[in-house]
Amino acid sequence: MNNLITRRTFVGGVAGAAGVAAFGGQSFAQLALPKEPVALNVIDVAGNLALTQKAIENYRKAKPNLVSRITFTKAPAPELAGKIKAQQDAGRVDIDLVLTGTDALSAGIDQKLWVELLPTHAGALPKLDDIYLPAAAKMQTLAKGQGVVVTYYPSGPLLEYMPNKVQTPPTTAEELLAWAKANPNRLIYARPANSGPGRTFIMGLPYILGDSNPQDPAKGWDKTWAYLKELGQYIEYYPSGTGAVMKELGEGSRDMTVSTTGWDINPRVLGVVPKEAKVAALKGFHWVADAHYMCVPKGLSNEKLAVLIDLMNFLLTKEQQAYTYDEGYFYPGPAVKGVTLDMAPAESQAAIKEFGRPEYEKLIAENPIELPLQPDQMVVAFRIWDEQVGGSKRK
């Protein structure tokens, strides 16, 4: 389907929701909203629905003239690009909105699967640099105009461990390696291509180890790849996702894993990991930020694209961003400035009060926050890891 946008004007209702910017000017491609409500299919490959599903459902309730129903599905990130490409080749795209981390975002950019949202539709979206937190605005640059950040967090890499099993947690990369060697098969992490903590760990190591270029996995990660291969001798296998890792940590079959703020807090809220689990940061660590993006596959009608852009506006209001605190899964969560915890639902406030960690505020304030790899470099890093580190030990 031709994705060139016609110069038709928006019809009614676009600025109807409180806080949603009105559309104006002729500098962007304008789209007509549908005369009849449409059904939307939303696919989540990042766990983002934990943060945004309530807000998306709020949109359906606020705009029954635009949306009749919304179907939510989840899938592993590595499978998504192939699925969308097959639909596009067949001329039958039935995925309308993708909620993704940097992994499937990168794969989609690499394969040219996404609609260009910026600058094509910049006039139909809020001025993102004005509303985003500084680090979220930096994360937006990774989207190459083909996605819009909806949630953000400083991420990791952190170590998470059970204090009854690990009395003296490692404080340096060398101590982590020594601990893994002394405690074979007690450390675990998931395949980076489908795990936020997994990829945050491998992207954080070049800063900790002093590699020559933390943004170039092929030529600048000599120390990192050597370290990961050596560490891998003491890791039994690499699960396909982080959920399985946390289950093993919680059940006691592993004693330590790599983690992030959200993957520390949320599994303890849910009871998957015991509340008493602790976290530590290695000496010299830099945060490697993470974000979730809203992406639209090429091949949709202009009317559906108009509704999706309107939905994006709605999800970027402070009122809807407050839902993204959730139960700490992507802590803090909001990408937009001025969204405080006291604006979040009561259950979010209670969960973070009980299971959050006061030390996070200090760690976030006192350590550098870096961008993850550029999309093309992330694809390279995943390939090298699969080929050289963990591909033969995946499960």
Side-chain angles (χ1 to χ4, degrees):
M1 182 177 288
N2 190 338
N3 278 285
L4 291 173
I5 308 305
T6 63
R7 302 291 290 180
R8 295 179 294 172
T9 55
F10 270 93
V11 182
V14 176
V20 177
F23 293 70
Q26 293 297 313
S27 61
F28 64 95
Q30 295 175 317
L31 300 165
L33 285 162
K35 293 182 173 62
E36 298 291 330
V38 297
L40 295 179
N41 289 320
V42 177
I43 189 165
D44 173 20
V45 295
N48 179 263
L49 285 173
L51 314 172
T52 60
Q53 185 165 344
K54 287 174 186 170
I56 294 170
E57 288 172 343
N58 288 344
Y59 178 79
R60 181 183 58 79
K61 291 170 192 166
K63 301 288 188 82
N65 58 315
L66 297 182
V67 178
S68 56
R69 63 185 169 83
I70 301 176
T71 304
F72 299 100
T73 55
K74 298 178 183 179
E79 295 174 8
L80 181 74
K83 183 174 183 177
I84 291 175
K85 182 83 169 58
Q87 291 184 5
Q88 289 172 339
D89 289 347
R92 289 195 304 273
V93 178
D94 65 10
I95 295 169
D96 301 314
L97 180 68
V98 174
L99 301 170
T100 175
T102 49
D103 42 16
L105 168 76
S106 301
I109 291 172
D110 189 48
Q111 297 185 40
K112 300 179 170 56
L113 304 182
W114 309 127
V115 170
E116 183 185 89
L117 297 168
L118 298 163
T120 308
H121 303 290
L125 288 160
K127 288 187 176 176
L128 300 178
D129 283 346
D130 291 352
I131 67 166
Y132 280 152
L133 293 162
K138 282 188 183 177
M139 291 300 293
Q140 178 60 37
T141 65
L142 294 180
K144 310 296 184 192
Q146 295 171 56
V148 171
V149 167
V150 66
T151 48
Y152 152 79
Y153 80 135
S155 194
L158 302 167
L159 294 179
E160 186 167 355
Y161 63 94
M162 296 310 301
N164 60 329
K165 304 279 188 67
V166 185
Q167 276 82 27
T168 308
T171 61
T172 65
E174 294 71 26
E175 286 178 12
L176 175 61
L177 191 59
W179 184 90
K181 187 174 183 178
N183 300 273
N185 300 336
R186 305 307 294 176
L187 174 70
I188 192 170
Y189 71 92
R191 182 191 180 202
N194 197 39
S195 168
R199 66 176 170 271
T200 302
F201 176 56
I202 69 168
M203 288 189 289
L205 276 174
Y207 297 100
I208 294 167
L209 297 172
D211 248 325
S212 62
N213 187 350
Q215 289 290 319
D216 187 349
K219 297 176 184 170
W221 284 22
D222 291 353
K223 294 175 182 176
T224 294
W225 293 124
Y227 183 91
L228 287 168
K229 287 176 200 172
E230 192 173 351
L231 189 67
Q233 297 176 64
Y234 315 113
I235 293 173
E236 187 176 359
Y237 71 96
Y238 301 93
S240 60
T242 320
V245 169
M246 292 302 170
K247 192 161 179 275
E248 294 205 22
L249 184 69
E251 290 170 348
S253 54
R254 313 290 161 179
D255 302 334
M256 191 187 303
T257 187
V258 300
S259 195
T260 64
T261 58
W263 275 103
D264 158 41
I265 295 171
N266 188 247
R268 290 187 301 117
V269 173
L270 300 176
V272 175
V273 173
K275 186 178 180 180
E276 58 268 22
K278 299 281 188 193
V279 294
L282 295 177
K283 184 180 176 185
F285 107 107
H286 293 206
W287 294 101
V288 179
D290 200 1
H292 290 157
Y293 299 81
M294 303 176 281
C295 297
V296 180
K298 293 176 181 176
L300 303 183
S301 70
N302 287 341
E303 289 185 338
K304 270 204 172 168
L305 182 55
V307 172
L308 291 167
I309 290 174
D310 192 46
L311 171 60
M312 290 177 190
N313 277 273
F314 185 85
L315 295 179
L316 291 175
T317 62
K318 290 182 182 180
E319 296 79 6
Q320 304 310 316
Q321 283 278 301
Y323 285 94
T324 66
Y325 278 100
D326 176 53
E327 292 179 320
Y329 167 63
F330 215 63
Y331 182 80
V336 169
K337 288 186 282 200
V339 183
T340 52
L341 182 58
D342 60 3
M343 298 166 66
E347 57 268 27
S348 294
Q349 297 185 43
I352 290 165
K353 186 176 179 183
E354 184 175 354
F355 293 93
R357 297 191 191 272
E359 61 260 41
Y360 280 153
E361 200 171 328
K362 190 169 187 285
L363 277 172
I364 292 168
E366 294 181 358
N367 292 279
I369 301 177
E370 307 289 352
L371 279 178
L373 294 174
Q374 292 292 321
D376 58 337
Q377 295 300 320
M378 192 168 291
V379 171
V380 170
F382 292 162
R383 177 178 53 75
I384 295 173
W385 188 92
D386 282 346
E387 289 173 359
Q388 296 186 20
V389 180
S392 63
K393 292 166 73 172
R394 276 165 45 195
K395 183 172 172 181

